[in-house]
Amino acid sequence: MHRRTRTTLATVAAAAVTGGLLTFTAASTAVAVDGTVASQADFNNDGIGDVATSASGAYVGGNSQAGQVVVAYGAQGTGLTAAKRSVISQDTSGVPGGAEAGDAFSSDTAYADFDGDGYDDLAVGAPGEDLGSDKDGGMVTILWGSASGLTGKGAVEIADPAAGSHDQWGRLLAAGDFDGDGRQDLAVGTSKSKLYVFKGGISRTGTYGSRQTVQAPIMAAYPPENLTAGDVNGDATTDLVVSGPEPVDGWTRNFLLFGGASGLDASSFQELRPGVISGIGDIDNDGFGDVVSGASWNAVESGLDVPYAAKGGKVWITYGSEYGVGTVQGITQDTSGVPGSSETNDMFGYELDLGDVNGDGFLDLVIGVAGENIDSFTDTGSVIVLYGSADGISGTGAQSFHQDTAGVPGGNEKYDMFGMDVKLDDVNGDGKADLTVGSGENDGNGALAYLPSDGSRITATGSRSISPTALGVATTGHPLVGANFAD
């Protein structure tokens, strides 16, 4: 059985000791409600994208791995810097609970305008939260957007409706309009296979319209590995891709659950190709959302042949249609035009995201290759940008970046895992998607690298690195800033 996850509380320093790659808790990925464009968060409603990232391993008030959320706000003509930021923990005024060791606040996040006021809000999971005698019961908090961006003011807890039946409330989160009523809903995952969906928007007092329980179509004994929201069949309701072990053979698969007037329908799901980290957006601009998914494992794991896998990892694209699943495309580093070559443990597809880099109306794809070895630097990592067209994604004009690429800040080091997470959002206000890359820089401190679009391609010109210290995050322990971007 292959169950690839990303363990949030692990550190890059551990990889340096063991000589192996880390795993991290899977991040949910979402797109705009109509599914036709890749979304981006705008917490202060200034029309420019913002990037929220976990720092779930951060010390807060002396508490190890209590966790913080960090937001770097986009700025017109400037892009991401450390100057305009928010850093929020459970010790921030207004935030429910308090920072405690092992809470892992921010291990997963999802953004949407839950209260309909024009500002994006952020749902934050703290799956390690202890609630009385309920160890690792978990907690979900909504942080509200405002003209000042995200703050702790008025933050509300979304209570677990079945706390005794599972642990790790808030382990996975995804947002979208699953019932098509024009209001944003929130799907919450736990340590079990059932999902809980809060529908009809969420008010500033924490009320919501209704709640739905959804049995994910995965092996019942296991929790989902990832949730990805977006409209695949073009019916103006958000669908949900659930990643997890297939019930018969146990291999990781993706399952597409369709949204509708009653919410998510788990009875008529479609099975997709595997991959844990996924995204949905209309790559070929045909009105249907396309599912991209990274199966970053090898074709052979522990002596077993893994279905639909490739040496060093593979990215699958399922092009959407009115019926859901359309044509399927597989991409590896041996695909024509894709930089590099497929090598064992490259982890091609460890992370990915969609955005329109050149403004041509077709979405482009960035792929994290977190296990890439370059020269003598083991697992230093790289990212690959592939461009979309009416024919979909191809290797034509593909780009590759790592920390020894001319102009890219920093330098390649062992276990940096550059490409640990990636985002394609317009953060400088020119209407073109820029690239933000997360890494495990400096033994798990983490860092953000900003590489702007020049209007036609991603460029290292004007790029910069943003450290945890610059963002206001203590480097005690291993905060892992940039390990998990909000989607």
PDB file of all heavy atoms in Angstrom, residues 25 53 144 165 189 206 210 216 234 300 309 329 340 356-357 371 397 422 463 477:
ATOM      1  N   THR A  25       2.295  17.077   5.908  1.00  0.00           N
ATOM      2  CA  THR A  25       0.850  16.937   5.794  1.00  0.00           C
ATOM      3  C   THR A  25       0.351  17.592   4.528  1.00  0.00           C
ATOM      4  O   THR A  25       0.694  18.724   4.227  1.00  0.00           O
ATOM      5  CB  THR A  25       0.160  17.585   7.000  1.00  0.00           C
ATOM      6  OG1 THR A  25       0.560  16.921   8.174  1.00  0.00           O
ATOM      7  CG2 THR A  25      -1.350  17.501   6.855  1.00  0.00           C
ATOM      8  N   THR A  53       1.121  31.459   4.470  1.00  0.00           N
ATOM      9  CA  THR A  53       1.891  30.229   4.616  1.00  0.00           C
ATOM     10  C   THR A  53       1.872  29.748   6.055  1.00  0.00           C
ATOM     11  O   THR A  53       1.752  30.542   6.998  1.00  0.00           O
ATOM     12  CB  THR A  53       3.348  30.420   4.162  1.00  0.00           C
ATOM     13  OG1 THR A  53       4.072  29.194   4.319  1.00  0.00           O
ATOM     14  CG2 THR A  53       4.042  31.510   4.957  1.00  0.00           C
ATOM     15  N   TRP A 144     -10.591  36.592  10.103  1.00  0.00           N
ATOM     16  CA  TRP A 144     -11.349  37.435   9.180  1.00  0.00           C
ATOM     17  C   TRP A 144     -10.452  38.420   8.442  1.00  0.00           C
ATOM     18  O   TRP A 144      -9.543  39.013   9.022  1.00  0.00           O
ATOM     19  CB  TRP A 144     -12.440  38.195   9.929  1.00  0.00           C
ATOM     20  CG  TRP A 144     -13.374  37.287  10.667  1.00  0.00           C
ATOM     21  CD1 TRP A 144     -13.472  37.124  12.012  1.00  0.00           C
ATOM     22  CD2 TRP A 144     -14.315  36.369  10.088  1.00  0.00           C
ATOM     23  NE1 TRP A 144     -14.419  36.177  12.317  1.00  0.00           N
ATOM     24  CE2 TRP A 144     -14.967  35.704  11.153  1.00  0.00           C
ATOM     25  CE3 TRP A 144     -14.682  36.063   8.769  1.00  0.00           C
ATOM     26  CZ2 TRP A 144     -15.954  34.743  10.949  1.00  0.00           C
ATOM     27  CZ3 TRP A 144     -15.665  35.110   8.568  1.00  0.00           C
ATOM     28  CH2 TRP A 144     -16.299  34.463   9.635  1.00  0.00           C
ATOM     29  N   SER A 165     -15.567  10.779  17.975  1.00  0.00           N
ATOM     30  CA  SER A 165     -15.448   9.728  16.964  1.00  0.00           C
ATOM     31  C   SER A 165     -14.173   9.802  16.142  1.00  0.00           C
ATOM     32  O   SER A 165     -13.961   8.975  15.256  1.00  0.00           O
ATOM     33  CB  SER A 165     -16.660   9.776  16.020  1.00  0.00           C
ATOM     34  OG  SER A 165     -16.701  11.003  15.323  1.00  0.00           O
ATOM     35  N   GLY A 189     -11.523  17.886   7.328  1.00  0.00           N
ATOM     36  CA  GLY A 189     -11.125  16.501   7.482  1.00  0.00           C
ATOM     37  C   GLY A 189     -10.526  16.243   8.850  1.00  0.00           C
ATOM     38  O   GLY A 189     -10.082  17.164   9.548  1.00  0.00           O
ATOM     39  N   GLY A 206     -19.894  32.830  13.944  1.00  0.00           N
ATOM     40  CA  GLY A 206     -19.614  31.405  13.826  1.00  0.00           C
ATOM     41  C   GLY A 206     -20.794  30.562  13.386  1.00  0.00           C
ATOM     42  O   GLY A 206     -20.682  29.332  13.311  1.00  0.00           O
ATOM     43  N   SER A 210     -26.067  25.214   7.169  1.00  0.00           N
ATOM     44  CA  SER A 210     -26.337  23.809   7.465  1.00  0.00           C
ATOM     45  C   SER A 210     -25.026  23.046   7.454  1.00  0.00           C
ATOM     46  O   SER A 210     -23.983  23.593   7.070  1.00  0.00           O
ATOM     47  CB  SER A 210     -27.313  23.206   6.440  1.00  0.00           C
ATOM     48  OG  SER A 210     -26.744  23.231   5.134  1.00  0.00           O
ATOM     49  N   ALA A 216     -16.037   9.819   2.575  1.00  0.00           N
ATOM     50  CA  ALA A 216     -15.101   9.789   1.451  1.00  0.00           C
ATOM     51  C   ALA A 216     -14.994   8.370   0.915  1.00  0.00           C
ATOM     52  O   ALA A 216     -14.941   7.404   1.691  1.00  0.00           O
ATOM     53  CB  ALA A 216     -13.736  10.293   1.883  1.00  0.00           C
ATOM     54  N   GLY A 234     -18.202  22.353 -14.884  1.00  0.00           N
ATOM     55  CA  GLY A 234     -18.713  23.620 -15.389  1.00  0.00           C
ATOM     56  C   GLY A 234     -20.151  23.926 -15.045  1.00  0.00           C
ATOM     57  O   GLY A 234     -20.808  24.703 -15.755  1.00  0.00           O
ATOM     58  N   VAL A 300       8.674   2.054  -8.423  1.00  0.00           N
ATOM     59  CA  VAL A 300       8.856   0.894  -7.551  1.00  0.00           C
ATOM     60  C   VAL A 300       9.141   1.415  -6.142  1.00  0.00           C
ATOM     61  O   VAL A 300      10.069   2.192  -5.942  1.00  0.00           O
ATOM     62  CB  VAL A 300      10.002  -0.007  -8.027  1.00  0.00           C
ATOM     63  CG1 VAL A 300      10.199  -1.175  -7.065  1.00  0.00           C
ATOM     64  CG2 VAL A 300       9.743  -0.515  -9.441  1.00  0.00           C
ATOM     65  N   ALA A 309       2.649   5.118 -11.751  1.00  0.00           N
ATOM     66  CA  ALA A 309       3.776   5.878 -11.225  1.00  0.00           C
ATOM     67  C   ALA A 309       4.932   5.845 -12.216  1.00  0.00           C
ATOM     68  O   ALA A 309       4.931   5.103 -13.192  1.00  0.00           O
ATOM     69  CB  ALA A 309       4.216   5.312  -9.876  1.00  0.00           C
ATOM     70  N   GLN A 329      -3.578  13.148 -19.345  1.00  0.00           N
ATOM     71  CA  GLN A 329      -2.212  13.360 -19.810  1.00  0.00           C
ATOM     72  C   GLN A 329      -1.254  13.114 -18.654  1.00  0.00           C
ATOM     73  O   GLN A 329      -1.493  13.549 -17.524  1.00  0.00           O
ATOM     74  CB  GLN A 329      -2.060  14.800 -20.317  1.00  0.00           C
ATOM     75  CG  GLN A 329      -0.654  15.217 -20.713  1.00  0.00           C
ATOM     76  CD  GLN A 329      -0.562  16.712 -21.041  1.00  0.00           C
ATOM     77  OE1 GLN A 329      -1.485  17.473 -20.766  1.00  0.00           O
ATOM     78  NE2 GLN A 329       0.551  17.127 -21.619  1.00  0.00           N
ATOM     79  N   GLY A 340      15.405  18.572 -17.306  1.00  0.00           N
ATOM     80  CA  GLY A 340      15.918  17.519 -16.452  1.00  0.00           C
ATOM     81  C   GLY A 340      15.623  16.146 -17.004  1.00  0.00           C
ATOM     82  O   GLY A 340      15.251  15.970 -18.163  1.00  0.00           O
ATOM     83  N   ASP A 356      -1.850  32.067 -14.558  1.00  0.00           N
ATOM     84  CA  ASP A 356      -1.578  32.569 -15.911  1.00  0.00           C
ATOM     85  C   ASP A 356      -0.390  33.526 -15.873  1.00  0.00           C
ATOM     86  O   ASP A 356      -0.528  34.697 -15.545  1.00  0.00           O
ATOM     87  CB  ASP A 356      -2.820  33.262 -16.466  1.00  0.00           C
ATOM     88  CG  ASP A 356      -2.695  33.612 -17.940  1.00  0.00           C
ATOM     89  OD1 ASP A 356      -1.599  33.425 -18.508  1.00  0.00           O
ATOM     90  OD2 ASP A 356      -3.685  34.093 -18.516  1.00  0.00           O
ATOM     91  N   VAL A 357       0.778  33.013 -16.203  1.00  0.00           N
ATOM     92  CA  VAL A 357       2.016  33.784 -16.117  1.00  0.00           C
ATOM     93  C   VAL A 357       2.095  34.853 -17.201  1.00  0.00           C
ATOM     94  O   VAL A 357       2.603  35.954 -16.971  1.00  0.00           O
ATOM     95  CB  VAL A 357       3.238  32.841 -16.217  1.00  0.00           C
ATOM     96  CG1 VAL A 357       4.542  33.620 -16.344  1.00  0.00           C
ATOM     97  CG2 VAL A 357       3.293  31.902 -15.011  1.00  0.00           C
ATOM     98  N   GLY A 371      12.934  16.777  -4.316  1.00  0.00           N
ATOM     99  CA  GLY A 371      14.029  15.840  -4.082  1.00  0.00           C
ATOM    100  C   GLY A 371      15.118  15.875  -5.128  1.00  0.00           C
ATOM    101  O   GLY A 371      15.990  14.990  -5.140  1.00  0.00           O
ATOM    102  N   GLY A 397       8.688  25.810 -24.295  1.00  0.00           N
ATOM    103  CA  GLY A 397       9.013  27.010 -23.524  1.00  0.00           C
ATOM    104  C   GLY A 397       9.194  26.773 -22.043  1.00  0.00           C
ATOM    105  O   GLY A 397       9.239  27.738 -21.269  1.00  0.00           O
ATOM    106  N   VAL A 422       4.720  25.669  -3.756  1.00  0.00           N
ATOM    107  CA  VAL A 422       4.806  26.629  -4.857  1.00  0.00           C
ATOM    108  C   VAL A 422       3.465  27.323  -5.030  1.00  0.00           C
ATOM    109  O   VAL A 422       2.413  26.749  -4.755  1.00  0.00           O
ATOM    110  CB  VAL A 422       5.202  25.935  -6.191  1.00  0.00           C
ATOM    111  CG1 VAL A 422       6.643  25.465  -6.154  1.00  0.00           C
ATOM    112  CG2 VAL A 422       4.276  24.760  -6.499  1.00  0.00           C
ATOM    113  N   SER A 463      13.970  39.124  -8.372  1.00  0.00           N
ATOM    114  CA  SER A 463      13.604  38.108  -7.383  1.00  0.00           C
ATOM    115  C   SER A 463      14.211  38.448  -6.029  1.00  0.00           C
ATOM    116  O   SER A 463      15.157  39.228  -5.923  1.00  0.00           O
ATOM    117  CB  SER A 463      14.077  36.731  -7.839  1.00  0.00           C
ATOM    118  OG  SER A 463      15.490  36.684  -7.926  1.00  0.00           O
ATOM    119  N   GLY A 477      13.977  26.028  17.048  1.00  0.00           N
ATOM    120  CA  GLY A 477      13.376  24.816  16.508  1.00  0.00           C
ATOM    121  C   GLY A 477      13.368  24.855  14.996  1.00  0.00           C
ATOM    122  O   GLY A 477      14.327  25.303  14.368  1.00  0.00           O
TER     123      GLY A 477
END
